[in-house]
Amino acid sequence: MDKVKLAVYWAGACGGCDIAIVELGEHLLELAQVADIVFWPCAMDFKLADVEAMSDGYIDITLFNGSIRTDEDLHVAKLLRSRSRALIAFGSCATEGCVPGLSNVRGSDYALERAYLEAPGTENTQGMLPGRASNLPDSLHLPGLRPQVRALQDVVTVDAFVRGCPPNYEQVWKAINQLLTEGLPRSGERLLGVDPRSLCDQCPRVRIGKIRVPRFKRIHEAIPDSEQCFLEQGFICAGPATHAGCSAACIKANMPCRGCYGPPEGVRDQGSAILDAVVAGFAGQNDAAIQEALASIVDPIGTFYRYSYAVSLLNQLAEHRNAQPEAVAVHAEPKR
Amino acid sequence: MIRLSQADHTFIEQIMAEPGGENLLTCWSCGTCAATCLVRRFDSSFNPRLTLHQAGLGLRGLVLSSSEIWQCSACDACYPRCPRQIHISEVMGAIRSVAIREGFHSPGPSALVDEQVCSGCAVCTRVCPYEAIDRVALGEHMVAHVNADKCMHCGICMASCPSGAITLDTFSDTELVSRMFADGWLGQPGYLDGGSTIPRILVFVCQWSVRTDAELQRVYNLGSQVRVVNLPCSGRVDPAMILTALNDGADGVLLAGCQEGECHYKRGTLLGRSKVGLLRALLAQAGIAQERLAFVELGAFDRYVLSGLVQKMLHSIESLVAAAVLE
Ligand code: SF4
Ligand code: SF4
Ligand code: SF4
Ligand code: SF4
């Protein structure tokens, strides 16, 4: 049997997804028996020109990690789409924009200024800003930042998804085996390497079930008990609105879930679902108490949409707003 | 006609032995509770005075088999008004306890959990105002289970379940979404998107917070600028529905619910305003005008205020555009 041709790519990502593949350890040897790696810039010496030279559909499976952050990310996403029979969004960035997607809240220009001019410890006396397409000496080209971070399926057709920031390596192995044995998926057909239901199903913590809390604490403000449900202790936990698959890794390290495995099946907007789970546990019996609980939630977008902002209903709405000025000037006169 | 032979004194004793049932016989039958009770707005056959009276006469079969004993939501609107200071919802609760012991059940409808989807997260067990939900073992999983006799079909758990595992026959998600979108009201560019020439707002109304049809009629009179979608409770609102409406052409969303302390389902209004409060914080952080979403409360003594509040929101949305043009 011919070996499967496998590619791995990283776009706007931290590198954790590649580590998750390296973490396969000995399984990599098994993988090498059945698959040839034809492109994996993070780990092996391949160049983009190698992919450009391939014919369409040459690659069987591409595991694409990272968000679409720069013009180059977009270019490579389109290129790999055409060269691959199955394109898999691998990890939270490719699936839903992840933490890079949070920069959509203030936009790319602000992100650059913050990182290269304002951030504590930054010394940039000439005020140089990268991020705009530029040609440098020795025919080096720096790609520009896209105005908004996108998930992979928002720019090309995706065949299947592997969730997680990064995906748990056991699930990665499971996903790869599913791909190798069950045939290649077609356009968004499958979530690979997840378990049924939401994380709480796998969480070992005790839930009394009737405990409501007056306000929420952030994790650095107190040491959580290691046995009791975080929500019932007043720490925000995204477990109820997060797909199972990570085997409760954070929970076991006494850290609340922040939602990197994305929403449960059929749920469109993860942030709304986390919000629901949190509000359900408010103890307040009057408006003043409710205000106190609301005020205890610092950085609501970062709390509810940490991984999914780029694909959220909220980001969609904010983009409408940015597109609005010329359009509304037509009927500027207030009507009564 | 009531025959003395039907009277069963042990029934009275049973009720009075239950916590909250002690005051059964102090009722004067003045009917103040019936005059106050909101359930009667939708079901005129419900009459707490009559139920107390029949129970006080010991009419076991009649009372236990009636559907009325399951309808009191324990809102306690009648309690402060009863001249005999009878905690009527507690007496109703005592009668229900006797009924359950004797094998009677609430006619429903009640919330239903899809055990194949439920993760046992316990969000619903926390949110239910009636503590009607518990987690039970199902094979190696723990899943939510609704006690149908305690469920008041407020729909709050259905909105809260982060997995979408709960359904209820009344005010289902499909029903609400189809009412939001009906006749193409949503799914077209709104005023703020440069589509409609006038602002359009979606008004979710808790059906109990509006005391008369005339109040609602004044909102309907505002025409197609306003789409009214009734809810069983303001706590039934789902944040994803609000964001969907704003994305699909509604310029604003108004959620109307009961005044603090007057909620028909105990804490529903607090959940409704909490969701709106958090969503408004999210809008602000995302740079979207907060004027586009508001919670308004309607008190038991408010008359004809809703249409004014709706108009106020319409105007504030117009001012948004005026301000954007001046910038
Ligand atoms: S909310 Fe978090 S801590 Fe509580 S059961 Fe779910 S995953 Fe576990
Ligand atoms: S407590 Fe509320 S629902 Fe029950 S009888 Fe009194 S007014 Fe009616
Ligand atoms: S909220 Fe939903 S998933 Fe969680 S326990 Fe209740 S029914 Fe199950
Ligand atoms: S519908 Fe309301 S009363 Fe019934 S179980 Fe759900 S939250 Fe409780």
Side-chain angles (χ1 to χ4, degrees), chain A residues 105 197-198 200-201 207 209-212 229 232 240 267 276-277 279-280 282 284-287 290 294 299-301 305 309 313 316-317 320-321 324 328 331 335-336, chain B residues 115 118-121 123 125-128 133-135 141 143 159-160 162 191-193 196 239 243 246-247 260 267 270-271 273-274 278 282 285-288 315 318 325:
Chain A
V105 175
R197 310 182 198 232
S198 82
C200 298
D201 182 53
R207 277 141 270 183
K210 305 281 155 81
I211 295 183
R212 299 175 189 147
C229 169
E232 294 189 348
V267 174
D276 277 327
V279 165
F282 278 3
Q285 295 295 325
N286 56 52
D287 238 355
I290 291 297
L294 293 178
D299 184 14
I301 291 185
Y305 290 101
Y309 186 69
L313 291 172
Q316 196 181 322
L317 188 60
H320 271 251
R321 177 231 6 163
Q324 139 201 333
V328 290
H331 36 81
K335 290 167 197 67
R336 298 279 161 234
Chain B
E115 294 171 341
C118 170
S119 68
C121 69
V123 165
T125 65
R126 271 174 226 130
V127 87
C128 174
I133 316 181
D134 287 297
R135 287 161 75 242
H141 302 279
V143 294
S160 290
Y191 176 68
L192 294 175
D193 308 321
S196 163
L243 291 175
L246 291 174
N247 263 316
E260 182 187 317
R267 63 193 290 262
L270 295 174
L271 295 163
R273 63 189 73 198
S274 301
L278 270 178
L282 285 166
Q285 210 183 351
I288 301 160
H315 291 159
E318 282 173 341
V325 169

Coordinates of all heavy atoms in Angstrom, one line a residue, chain A residues 105 197-198 200-201 207 209-212 229 232 240 267 276-277 279-280 282 284-287 290 294 299-301 305 309 313 316-317 320-321 324 328 331 335-336, chain B residues 115 118-121 123 125-128 133-135 141 143 159-160 162 191-193 196 239 243 246-247 260 267 270-271 273-274 278 282 285-288 315 318 325:
Chain A
V105 N -10.7 42.4 19.2 CA -11.5 43.4 20.0 C -11.0 44.8 19.8 O -11.8 45.7 19.6 CB -11.3 43.0 21.5 CG1 -12.0 44.0 22.4 CG2 -11.9 41.6 21.8
R197 N -20.3 14.7 25.0 CA -20.7 15.6 26.1 C -19.7 16.7 26.4 O -18.7 16.8 25.8 CB -21.1 14.8 27.4 CG -22.0 13.6 27.1 CD -22.3 12.9 28.3 NE -22.8 11.5 28.0 CZ -24.0 11.0 28.5 NH1 -24.7 11.7 29.3 NH2 -24.4 9.8 28.1
S198 N -20.1 17.5 27.5 CA -19.2 18.6 27.8 C -18.2 18.1 28.9 O -18.4 17.0 29.5 CB -20.0 19.8 28.3 OG -20.4 19.7 29.6
C200 N -17.7 18.6 32.0 CA -18.2 18.3 33.3 C -18.4 16.8 33.5 O -18.3 16.2 34.6 CB -19.4 19.0 33.7 SG -19.2 20.8 33.7
D201 N -18.7 16.1 32.3 CA -19.0 14.7 32.4 C -17.7 13.9 32.8 O -17.8 12.9 33.4 CB -19.4 14.2 31.0 CG -19.7 12.7 31.0 OD1 -20.5 12.3 31.8 OD2 -19.1 12.0 30.1
R207 N -20.1 18.0 42.9 CA -21.1 19.1 42.7 C -22.2 18.9 43.7 O -22.9 17.8 43.6 CB -21.6 19.0 41.3 CG -20.8 19.7 40.2 CD -20.8 18.9 38.9 NE -19.7 17.9 38.9 CZ -19.4 17.1 37.9 NH1 -20.1 17.2 36.8 NH2 -18.4 16.3 38.0
G209 N -24.7 20.9 43.7 CA -25.8 21.2 42.8 C -26.8 22.3 43.1 O -27.5 22.8 42.3
K210 N -26.7 22.7 44.4 CA -27.7 23.8 44.8 C -26.9 25.0 45.4 O -27.5 25.9 45.9 CB -28.7 23.3 45.8 CG -29.5 22.0 45.4 CD -30.6 22.3 44.4 CE -31.0 21.2 43.5 NZ -31.8 20.2 44.1
I211 N -25.6 25.0 45.2 CA -24.8 26.1 45.8 C -24.7 27.2 44.8 O -24.2 27.1 43.7 CB -23.4 25.6 46.1 CG1 -23.5 24.5 47.2 CG2 -22.5 26.8 46.6 CD1 -22.2 24.1 47.8
R212 N -25.1 28.4 45.3 CA -25.0 29.6 44.5 C -24.0 30.6 45.2 O -23.9 30.5 46.4 CB -26.3 30.3 44.3 CG -27.3 29.4 43.5 CD -28.7 30.1 43.5 NE -29.7 29.2 42.9 CZ -30.9 29.2 43.3 NH1 -31.4 30.1 44.2 NH2 -31.8 28.3 42.8
C229 N -16.4 21.4 42.9 CA -16.6 22.1 41.6 C -16.2 23.6 41.8 O -16.6 24.3 42.7 CB -18.1 22.0 41.3 SG -18.6 23.1 39.9
E232 N -18.9 26.2 42.1 CA -19.6 26.2 43.4 C -18.6 26.9 44.5 O -19.1 27.2 45.6 CB -20.0 24.8 43.9 CG -21.1 24.3 43.0 CD -21.8 23.0 43.4 OE1 -21.3 22.3 44.3 OE2 -22.8 22.7 42.8
P240 N -18.8 23.5 31.8 CA -20.2 23.2 31.3 C -20.4 23.5 29.9 O -21.2 22.8 29.2 CB -21.1 24.1 32.2 CG -20.3 24.4 33.4 CD -18.9 24.4 33.0
V267 N -23.8 23.8 19.7 CA -23.8 25.1 20.4 C -23.1 26.1 19.5 O -21.9 26.0 19.3 CB -23.3 25.1 21.8 CG1 -23.2 26.4 22.5 CG2 -24.1 24.1 22.7
D276 N -24.3 31.8 30.4 CA -25.4 31.2 31.0 C -25.1 30.4 32.3 O -25.8 30.4 33.3 CB -26.0 30.2 30.0 CG -27.0 30.9 29.0 OD1 -27.6 31.8 29.4 OD2 -27.0 30.4 27.8
A277 N -24.0 29.6 32.1 CA -23.6 28.8 33.3 C -23.2 29.6 34.5 O -23.4 29.2 35.6 CB -22.4 27.9 32.8
V279 N -24.2 32.8 35.2 CA -25.3 33.6 35.8 C -26.2 32.6 36.6 O -26.8 33.0 37.6 CB -26.2 34.2 34.6 CG1 -27.5 34.6 35.1 CG2 -25.4 35.4 34.1
A280 N -26.3 31.3 36.1 CA -27.1 30.4 36.8 C -26.7 30.2 38.3 O -27.6 29.9 39.2 CB -27.0 29.0 36.2
F282 N -25.5 32.7 40.3 CA -25.6 33.9 41.1 C -26.5 33.7 42.3 O -27.6 33.3 42.2 CB -26.2 35.1 40.3 CG -25.2 35.8 39.4 CD1 -23.9 35.3 39.2 CD2 -25.6 36.9 38.6 CE1 -23.0 36.0 38.3 CE2 -24.7 37.5 37.8 CZ -23.5 37.1 37.6
G284 N -27.4 36.3 44.3 CA -28.0 37.6 44.7 C -29.5 37.5 44.7 O -30.1 37.0 43.8
Q285 N -30.1 38.1 45.6 CA -31.6 38.2 45.7 C -32.2 39.5 45.4 O -33.3 39.8 45.5 CB -32.0 37.8 47.2 CG -31.7 36.3 47.5 CD -32.5 35.3 46.6 OE1 -33.6 35.5 46.3 NE2 -31.8 34.2 46.3
N286 N -31.3 40.5 45.1 CA -31.8 41.8 44.7 C -30.8 42.5 43.7 O -29.7 41.9 43.5 CB -32.0 42.7 45.9 CG -30.7 42.8 46.8 OD1 -29.7 43.2 46.2 ND2 -30.8 42.5 48.0
D287 N -31.2 43.6 43.2 CA -30.5 44.2 42.2 C -29.1 44.6 42.6 O -28.1 44.5 41.9 CB -31.2 45.5 41.7 CG -31.5 45.4 40.2 OD1 -31.0 44.5 39.6 OD2 -32.2 46.3 39.7
I290 N -26.9 41.7 42.6 CA -26.6 41.3 41.2 C -25.5 42.2 40.6 O -24.6 41.7 40.0 CB -27.9 41.4 40.3 CG1 -28.9 40.3 40.8 CG2 -27.6 41.3 38.9 CD1 -28.5 38.9 40.6
L294 N -22.0 41.0 39.0 CA -21.5 41.4 37.7 C -20.2 42.1 37.7 O -19.3 41.9 36.9 CB -22.6 42.4 37.1 CG -24.0 41.8 36.7 CD1 -24.9 42.9 36.2 CD2 -23.8 40.6 35.8
D299 N -12.9 41.8 32.8 CA -12.6 41.3 31.4 C -13.6 40.2 30.9 O -13.2 39.1 30.7 CB -11.2 40.8 31.4 CG -10.8 40.4 29.9 OD1 -11.5 40.8 29.0 OD2 -9.7 39.7 29.8
P300 N -14.9 40.6 30.7 CA -15.8 39.6 30.3 C -15.5 38.9 29.0 O -15.7 37.7 28.8 CB -17.2 40.4 30.2 CG -16.9 41.8 30.7 CD -15.5 41.9 31.0
I301 N -14.9 39.7 28.0 CA -14.6 39.0 26.7 C -13.6 38.0 26.9 O -13.7 36.8 26.5 CB -14.2 40.0 25.6 CG1 -15.4 40.9 25.2 CG2 -13.7 39.3 24.4 CD1 -15.2 41.8 24.0
Y305 N -15.0 34.5 26.1 CA -14.6 34.2 24.7 C -13.1 34.1 24.5 O -12.6 34.4 23.5 CB -15.1 35.4 23.8 CG -16.6 35.5 23.6 CD1 -17.4 36.4 24.4 CD2 -17.3 34.7 22.7 CE1 -18.7 36.5 24.2 CE2 -18.7 34.8 22.6 CZ -19.4 35.7 23.3 OH -20.7 35.8 23.1
Y309 N -13.5 34.1 20.4 CA -13.9 35.4 20.0 C -14.0 35.6 18.5 O -15.0 36.2 18.0 CB -13.1 36.6 20.6 CG -13.7 37.9 20.4 CD1 -14.9 38.3 21.0 CD2 -13.1 38.8 19.5 CE1 -15.5 39.5 20.7 CE2 -13.7 40.1 19.3 CZ -14.9 40.4 19.9 OH -15.4 41.6 19.6
L313 N -20.6 35.4 17.8 CA -21.6 36.3 17.4 C -21.3 37.7 17.8 O -21.7 38.7 17.1 CB -23.0 35.9 18.0 CG -23.6 34.6 17.6 CD1 -24.8 34.2 18.4 CD2 -24.0 34.7 16.1
Q316 N -18.8 39.1 15.2 CA -19.6 39.4 14.0 C -20.3 40.7 14.1 O -20.3 41.6 13.2 CB -20.6 38.3 13.9 CG -21.2 38.1 12.5 CD -22.2 36.9 12.5 OE1 -22.0 35.9 13.1 NE2 -23.3 37.1 11.8
L317 N -20.9 41.0 15.3 CA -21.7 42.2 15.6 C -20.8 43.4 15.6 O -21.1 44.4 15.0 CB -22.4 42.1 16.9 CG -23.4 43.1 17.3 CD1 -24.5 43.2 16.3 CD2 -24.0 42.8 18.7
H320 N -19.9 44.5 12.1 CA -21.0 45.3 11.5 C -20.8 46.7 11.9 O -20.9 47.6 11.1 CB -22.4 44.9 12.2 CG -23.0 43.7 11.5 ND1 -24.2 43.9 10.7 CD2 -22.7 42.4 11.4 CE1 -24.6 42.8 10.2 NE2 -23.7 41.8 10.6
R321 N -20.6 46.9 13.2 CA -20.4 48.3 13.7 C -19.3 49.0 13.0 O -19.5 50.2 12.6 CB -20.2 48.2 15.2 CG -20.0 49.5 15.9 CD -18.7 49.6 16.7 NE -17.9 48.4 16.6 CZ -16.6 48.4 17.0 NH1 -16.0 49.5 17.5 NH2 -15.9 47.3 16.9
Q324 N -20.1 50.4 9.6 CA -21.3 51.2 9.5 C -21.2 52.6 9.0 O -22.1 53.0 8.2 CB -22.0 51.1 10.9 CG -22.6 52.3 11.4 CD -22.8 52.2 12.9 OE1 -22.9 51.1 13.4 NE2 -22.7 53.3 13.6
V328 N -24.8 54.6 7.1 CA -25.9 55.2 7.8 C -26.0 56.7 7.5 O -27.1 57.3 7.8 CB -25.8 55.0 9.4 CG1 -26.0 53.6 9.7 CG2 -24.5 55.5 9.9
H331 N -29.4 58.4 6.1 CA -30.6 58.9 6.8 C -30.2 59.4 8.2 O -30.5 58.9 9.2 CB -31.7 57.9 6.9 CG -31.2 56.5 7.1 ND1 -30.8 56.0 8.3 CD2 -31.0 55.5 6.2 CE1 -30.4 54.8 8.2 NE2 -30.5 54.4 6.9
K335 N -35.6 60.8 13.1 CA -37.1 60.9 12.7 C -37.9 60.8 14.0 O -37.5 60.0 14.9 CB -37.4 59.8 11.8 CG -36.8 60.1 10.4 CD -36.9 58.8 9.5 CE -36.0 58.9 8.3 NZ -34.6 58.9 8.7
R336 N -39.0 61.4 14.1 CA -39.9 61.3 15.2 C -41.1 60.6 14.8 O -41.6 60.9 13.7 CB -40.2 62.6 15.9 CG -39.0 63.3 16.5 CD -38.5 62.8 17.8 NE -37.1 63.2 18.0 CZ -36.1 62.4 18.3 NH1 -36.4 61.2 18.5 NH2 -34.9 62.8 18.5
Chain B
E115 N -30.8 12.7 28.1 CA -29.7 12.1 28.9 C -28.5 11.7 28.1 O -27.4 11.4 28.7 CB -30.3 10.8 29.6 CG -31.3 11.2 30.7 CD -32.1 10.0 31.2 OE1 -32.0 8.9 30.6 OE2 -32.7 10.1 32.3
C118 N -26.7 15.4 28.1 CA -26.4 16.0 29.4 C -25.1 15.6 30.0 O -24.7 14.4 29.9 CB -27.5 15.7 30.4 SG -27.2 16.1 32.1
S119 N -24.3 16.5 30.5 CA -23.0 16.2 31.1 C -23.0 16.2 32.6 O -22.0 16.1 33.2 CB -22.0 17.2 30.6 OG -22.2 18.5 31.1
G120 N -24.2 16.5 33.2 CA -24.3 16.5 34.6 C -23.5 17.7 35.2 O -23.0 17.6 36.3
C121 N -23.5 18.8 34.5 CA -22.7 20.0 34.9 C -23.3 20.6 36.1 O -22.6 21.4 36.8 CB -22.5 21.0 33.8 SG -24.1 21.8 33.3
V123 N -25.5 23.0 36.2 CA -25.9 24.4 36.0 C -27.5 24.5 36.2 O -27.9 25.4 36.9 CB -25.5 24.8 34.6 CG1 -26.3 26.1 34.2 CG2 -24.0 25.1 34.5
T125 N -29.4 22.5 37.9 CA -29.8 22.2 39.3 C -29.6 23.5 40.2 O -30.4 23.7 41.1 CB -29.0 21.0 39.9 OG1 -27.7 21.4 40.1 CG2 -29.1 19.8 39.1
R126 N -28.7 24.3 39.8 CA -28.4 25.5 40.5 C -29.4 26.6 40.1 O -29.9 27.4 40.9 CB -27.0 26.1 40.2 CG -26.0 25.6 41.1 CD -24.6 26.1 40.7 NE -23.7 24.9 40.7 CZ -22.9 24.5 39.7 NH1 -22.9 25.2 38.6 NH2 -22.2 23.5 39.9
V127 N -29.8 26.6 38.8 CA -30.6 27.7 38.3 C -32.1 27.6 38.6 O -32.8 28.6 38.8 CB -30.4 27.9 36.8 CG1 -31.3 27.1 35.9 CG2 -30.5 29.4 36.4
C128 N -32.6 26.4 38.7 CA -34.0 26.2 38.9 C -34.5 26.9 40.1 O -34.1 26.6 41.2 CB -34.4 24.7 38.9 SG -36.1 24.4 39.2
I133 N -34.6 20.1 40.0 CA -33.7 19.2 39.2 C -32.6 18.7 40.1 O -32.1 19.4 41.0 CB -33.1 20.0 38.0 CG1 -34.1 20.8 37.3 CG2 -32.4 19.0 37.1 CD1 -33.6 21.6 36.1
D134 N -32.3 17.4 40.0 CA -31.2 16.8 40.7 C -30.4 16.0 39.7 O -30.9 15.7 38.7 CB -31.8 15.9 41.8 CG -32.4 16.7 42.9 OD1 -31.6 17.4 43.6 OD2 -33.6 16.6 43.2
R135 N -29.2 15.7 40.2 CA -28.4 14.8 39.3 C -28.6 13.4 39.8 O -28.6 13.1 41.0 CB -26.9 15.2 39.4 CG -26.6 16.5 38.6 CD -25.3 17.1 39.1 NE -24.2 16.5 38.6 CZ -23.3 15.9 39.3 NH1 -23.4 15.9 40.6 NH2 -22.2 15.3 38.8
H141 N -22.4 7.7 34.0 CA -22.5 9.1 34.0 C -23.5 9.6 35.1 O -24.3 8.9 35.6 CB -23.1 9.6 32.6 CG -22.3 9.1 31.4 ND1 -21.2 9.8 31.0 CD2 -22.5 8.1 30.6 CE1 -20.7 9.2 30.0 NE2 -21.4 8.2 29.7
V143 N -26.4 12.4 35.3 CA -27.2 13.3 34.5 C -28.3 14.0 35.3 O -28.7 13.5 36.3 CB -27.8 12.5 33.3 CG1 -26.8 12.0 32.4 CG2 -28.7 11.4 33.8
A159 N -33.0 27.7 28.9 CA -32.1 28.8 28.5 C -30.7 28.6 29.0 O -29.7 29.0 28.4 CB -32.7 30.1 28.9
S160 N -30.6 28.0 30.2 CA -29.3 28.0 30.9 C -28.4 26.8 30.5 O -27.2 26.9 30.6 CB -29.5 27.9 32.4 OG -30.1 29.1 32.9
P162 N -25.9 24.8 29.1 CA -24.9 25.1 28.1 C -24.7 24.1 27.0 O -24.1 24.3 26.0 CB -23.6 25.2 29.0 CG -24.0 25.2 30.4 CD -25.3 24.5 30.4
Y191 N -31.5 49.4 10.6 CA -31.2 50.8 10.5 C -29.8 51.2 10.6 O -29.2 51.9 9.9 CB -32.1 51.5 11.5 CG -31.9 53.0 11.7 CD1 -32.4 53.8 10.7 CD2 -31.4 53.5 12.8 CE1 -32.3 55.2 10.9 CE2 -31.3 54.9 13.0 CZ -31.8 55.7 12.0 OH -31.7 57.1 12.2
L192 N -29.1 50.5 11.7 CA -27.7 50.8 11.9 C -26.8 50.2 10.8 O -25.7 50.6 10.7 CB -27.3 50.3 13.3 CG -28.0 51.0 14.5 CD1 -27.6 50.3 15.8 CD2 -27.6 52.5 14.5
D193 N -27.3 49.3 10.1 CA -26.6 48.7 9.0 C -26.8 49.4 7.7 O -26.4 49.0 6.6 CB -26.9 47.2 8.8 CG -26.8 46.4 10.0 OD1 -25.9 46.7 10.8 OD2 -27.6 45.5 10.3
S196 N -32.9 49.3 6.8 CA -34.2 49.9 7.2 C -34.0 51.4 7.3 O -33.0 51.9 7.8 CB -34.7 49.3 8.4 OG -35.7 50.1 9.0
P239 N -28.9 34.4 25.9 CA -28.0 35.5 25.3 C -27.7 35.3 23.8 O -27.6 36.2 23.1 CB -26.7 35.3 26.1 CG -27.0 34.5 27.3 CD -28.3 33.8 27.1
L243 N -27.9 38.1 20.8 CA -26.9 38.4 19.8 C -27.3 38.1 18.4 O -26.9 38.8 17.5 CB -25.6 37.6 20.2 CG -24.9 38.1 21.5 CD1 -23.7 37.2 21.8 CD2 -24.4 39.6 21.4
L246 N -29.5 40.9 17.2 CA -28.7 42.1 16.8 C -27.9 42.0 15.6 O -27.7 42.9 14.8 CB -27.8 42.5 18.0 CG -28.5 43.0 19.3 CD1 -27.5 43.2 20.4 CD2 -29.2 44.3 19.1
N247 N -27.4 40.7 15.3 CA -26.7 40.5 14.1 C -27.6 40.4 12.9 O -27.1 40.7 11.8 CB -26.0 39.1 14.2 CG -24.5 39.2 14.7 OD1 -23.8 40.1 14.2 ND2 -24.1 38.4 15.6
E260 N -38.1 43.8 40.7 CA -37.4 43.0 41.7 C -38.4 42.7 42.8 O -39.2 43.5 43.3 CB -36.3 43.9 42.3 CG -35.5 43.3 43.3 CD -34.5 44.3 43.9 OE1 -33.9 45.1 43.1 OE2 -34.4 44.4 45.1
R267 N -37.0 33.9 41.1 CA -35.7 34.6 40.8 C -35.5 34.8 39.3 O -34.4 35.3 38.9 CB -34.5 33.9 41.4 CG -34.3 32.5 40.9 CD -33.3 31.7 41.7 NE -32.0 32.2 41.7 CZ -31.0 31.6 40.9 NH1 -31.3 30.6 40.1 NH2 -29.8 32.1 40.9
L270 N -34.2 38.2 38.2 CA -32.8 38.5 38.5 C -31.9 37.9 37.5 O -30.8 38.4 37.1 CB -32.5 38.0 39.9 CG -33.3 38.7 41.0 CD1 -33.0 38.0 42.4 CD2 -32.9 40.2 41.1
L271 N -32.3 36.7 37.0 CA -31.5 36.0 36.0 C -31.5 36.8 34.6 O -30.5 37.0 34.0 CB -32.0 34.6 35.7 CG -31.8 33.7 37.0 CD1 -32.7 32.4 36.8 CD2 -30.4 33.3 37.1
R273 N -32.1 40.0 34.2 CA -31.3 41.3 34.3 C -29.8 41.0 34.4 O -29.0 41.8 33.9 CB -31.8 42.2 35.4 CG -31.7 41.8 36.8 CD -32.5 42.7 37.7 NE -33.9 42.6 37.5 CZ -34.8 43.5 38.0 NH1 -34.4 44.6 38.5 NH2 -36.1 43.3 37.8
S274 N -29.4 39.9 35.0 CA -28.0 39.5 35.1 C -27.5 39.2 33.7 O -26.4 39.6 33.3 CB -27.8 38.2 35.9 OG -28.3 38.5 37.2
L278 N -24.5 41.4 31.9 CA -23.2 40.9 31.4 C -23.1 41.1 29.9 O -22.0 41.4 29.4 CB -23.1 39.4 31.7 CG -22.5 39.0 33.0 CD1 -22.5 37.5 33.2 CD2 -21.1 39.5 33.1
L282 N -20.2 43.1 27.8 CA -19.5 42.5 26.6 C -19.6 43.5 25.4 O -18.7 43.7 24.7 CB -20.1 41.1 26.2 CG -19.8 39.9 27.1 CD1 -20.7 38.8 26.9 CD2 -18.3 39.5 26.9
Q285 N -17.3 46.3 25.9 CA -15.9 45.9 25.7 C -15.6 45.8 24.2 O -14.5 46.0 23.7 CB -15.6 44.7 26.4 CG -14.1 44.5 26.9 CD -13.8 43.2 27.6 OE1 -14.8 42.4 27.9 NE2 -12.6 43.0 27.8
A286 N -16.6 45.3 23.4 CA -16.4 45.1 22.0 C -16.6 46.4 21.2 O -16.5 46.3 20.0 CB -17.3 44.0 21.5
G287 N -16.9 47.5 21.9 CA -17.1 48.7 21.2 C -18.4 48.9 20.5 O -18.6 49.6 19.6
I288 N -19.4 48.1 21.0 CA -20.8 48.2 20.4 C -21.6 49.0 21.4 O -21.5 48.9 22.6 CB -21.4 46.8 20.3 CG1 -20.5 46.0 19.4 CG2 -22.8 46.9 19.7 CD1 -20.7 44.5 19.5
H315 N -35.7 56.1 20.1 CA -35.1 57.4 20.0 C -33.6 57.4 20.3 O -32.8 58.0 19.6 CB -35.8 58.4 20.9 CG -37.2 58.7 20.5 ND1 -38.1 59.2 21.4 CD2 -37.8 58.5 19.3 CE1 -39.3 59.4 20.7 NE2 -39.1 59.0 19.4
E318 N -31.8 56.3 17.3 CA -31.7 57.3 16.3 C -30.6 58.3 16.7 O -29.8 58.8 15.8 CB -33.0 58.1 16.2 CG -34.0 57.3 15.4 CD -35.4 58.0 15.4 OE1 -35.7 58.8 16.3 OE2 -36.2 57.7 14.5
V325 N -22.8 60.6 12.8 CA -22.7 61.5 11.6 C -21.9 62.8 12.0 O -21.1 63.3 11.3 CB -24.0 61.8 11.0 CG1 -23.9 62.9 10.0 CG2 -24.6 60.5 10.4

